[in-house]
Amino acid sequence: MHNALPFPSAQSAVLDPAAGHDDNQAADLEPLTLALPSVSEPWRYALVYGRLTLANLIGPHRLRPQGLRTYHAPVHISPRLANRWRALFDVPARAAATVPLLANQSVGTLLYSQLFADLGLNLRHLLHLHHRTVHHASVADCAKARKQQLRCRVQSVRRVGEDRALVNVQTQVLAADGSLLSQVEDGFLVRSLPSADLAPLTADRSLLRDVLGLRRRLPRLSTRDGQARVSAMEVPHGMGLDYGRISGDMNPVHTSRVGAWFFGLKRPFLQGLALRNLVVRHLTELGASVEQLSLTFASPAYLGQTLLLVVDSGALEVHDAKGRLVAFGACGRSGDEV
């Protein structure tokens, strides 16, 4: 199903091969284990998150892909934290095993922040563009795993324009015994980069066309014709802040109107992975498979509205209250092309 931006293959280059770097560079180094807190330890988490975020916001905005590391961090999802995730996304306890929420995300947020710091990126210039989850274990095993290990690395960096790059981050979610539960990939558009930093990168013109066309893309799935399944998804005004409290993503563009105004936005919008979890919860309710999920974020999902999820033969779209396209993608079973 070709209903999302393409992710790079495992062989795609981070830098031009002539520069002597490839995307296996990080994988060749021994993973560095970090002892990171989750939001279950609020004061310790705030200290680590604040340090990383402050450095990422006030530091120079550059692109330094050399010498990247793979990071490894254990995660323990307490029963209380798991209940907070289920409550936010209105998942009944009886359905917990069928809705694989990313309850490990507070540690994942710190890993992403560390990778962005390694790259030299300023968070003000990052935009979450696409997401993919592939479950290698059963959905039930992934949903109920309380002790996990995250292995996170920069998968690729591709040039998309004169001052932009697309950074793809890959996270393997492992069970306590080391078996692979799922693989999560997130793509971030990085803007306002110095041209000298992008010079070693080969421009991806087809990807540039796709990225430039996102805001102009119109909905393609009908809510009235065919066999489409539809579900209304409430996004309350406080959802960005509530999600930030359990995921660690307290970016002010998602949590407050003043913060959104400061960054030149009309009002706050939902975090990309919050929308992902909301979509997973409603896909499950509609009876769609979530063994694989791919989402591309076309425009902000502003808080304080009801979104519409439309699913037709594995393709999916999210429409806002005015019928505009917010996200599109695909879902399916293991082995499907998603």
Side-chain angles (χ1 to χ4, degrees):
M1 302 167 189
H2 301 288
N3 201 43
L5 286 185
F7 275 83
S9 68
Q11 290 77 33
S12 70
V14 170
L15 288 175
D16 190 290
H21 305 284
D22 59 49
D23 76 332
N24 293 318
Q25 182 182 24
D28 290 341
L29 297 174
E30 187 69 22
L32 180 62
T33 299
L34 302 177
L36 298 174
S38 78
V39 293
S40 297
E41 305 171 85
W43 292 109
R44 185 171 170 232
Y45 190 88
L47 180 63
V48 177
Y49 177 82
R51 176 179 57 80
L52 278 171
T53 302
L54 183 63
N56 284 0
L57 284 174
I58 67 175
H61 185 52
R62 301 297 303 270
L63 180 64
R64 303 189 303 261
Q66 298 84 0
L68 293 175
R69 298 296 302 257
T70 296
Y71 291 104
H72 178 274
V75 181
H76 174 63
I77 303 166
S78 67
R80 182 174 180 272
L81 181 57
N83 288 337
R84 290 173 66 189
W85 275 84
R86 288 200 299 267
L88 179 58
F89 293 101
D90 194 26
V91 178
R94 65 180 182 277
T98 64
V99 184
L101 302 174
L102 294 180
N104 57 31
Q105 192 52 45
S106 59
V107 173
T109 296
L110 296 181
L111 288 174
Y112 279 25
S113 297
Q114 183 62 60
L115 287 174
F116 295 146
D118 291 350
L119 280 167
L121 303 179
N122 189 303
L123 296 179
R124 290 176 297 173
H125 303 292
L126 267 66
L127 177 67
H128 196 177
L129 199 62
H130 57 187
H131 168 86
R132 182 167 68 186
T133 303
V134 178
H135 292 95
H136 293 267
S138 70
V139 167
D141 285 343
C142 294
K144 68 185 181 183
R146 294 290 170 258
K147 291 186 177 181
Q148 302 176 4
Q149 304 171 58
L150 303 184
R151 182 168 294 184
C152 191
R153 71 183 182 105
V154 173
Q155 182 184 25
S156 71
V157 181
R158 292 183 287 176
R159 182 176 179 176
V160 284
E162 294 302 317
D163 66 344
R164 300 183 180 191
L166 185 66
V167 175
N168 284 290
V169 177
Q170 179 193 84
T171 303
Q172 291 181 327
V173 182
L174 310 174
D177 62 3
S179 60
L180 182 60
L181 293 171
S182 61
Q183 185 164 291
V184 177
E185 298 169 2
D186 287 291
F188 297 87
L189 184 66
V190 186
R191 298 168 290 193
S192 304
L193 286 166
S195 57
D197 292 358
L198 292 170
L201 292 167
T202 302
D204 191 328
R205 298 188 183 279
S206 62
L207 182 58
L208 174 60
R209 288 193 297 269
D210 289 339
V211 170
L212 293 177
L214 285 180
R215 291 298 179 92
R216 299 191 299 270
R217 179 172 169 133
L218 299 174
R220 299 177 182 177
L221 301 182
S222 172
T223 59
R224 298 181 178 88
D225 302 329
Q227 302 299 313
R229 291 168 285 177
V230 178
S231 182
M233 306 190 300
E234 296 292 334
V235 183
H237 287 283
M239 192 170 190
L241 180 59
D242 291 340
Y243 179 76
R245 287 170 173 159
I246 63 171
S247 71
D249 186 355
M250 293 293 288
N251 189 321
V253 301
H254 305 303
T255 58
S256 74
R257 185 176 291 271
V258 173
W261 284 346
F262 180 78
F263 285 96
L265 299 166
K266 295 182 293 184
R267 55 189 186 277
F269 63 96
L270 194 61
Q271 295 91 332
L273 291 179
L275 180 59
R276 176 264 182 208
N277 284 288
L278 190 62
V279 166
V280 165
R281 180 252 186 269
H282 284 267
L283 283 173
T284 305
E285 187 175 82
L286 291 174
S289 174
V290 293
E291 291 178 11
Q292 295 192 73
L293 172 71
S294 183
L295 274 179
T296 298
F297 306 111
S299 61
Y302 291 111
L303 304 179
Q305 64 173 318
T306 300
L307 302 174
L308 202 64
L309 174 65
V310 186
V311 186
D312 192 351
S313 301
L316 66 91
E317 289 182 347
V318 177
H319 304 167
D320 71 7
K322 295 183 178 180
R324 295 172 297 205
L325 184 66
V326 170
F328 60 94
C331 62
R333 300 189 179 279
S334 179
D336 290 349
E337 185 181 353
V338 173

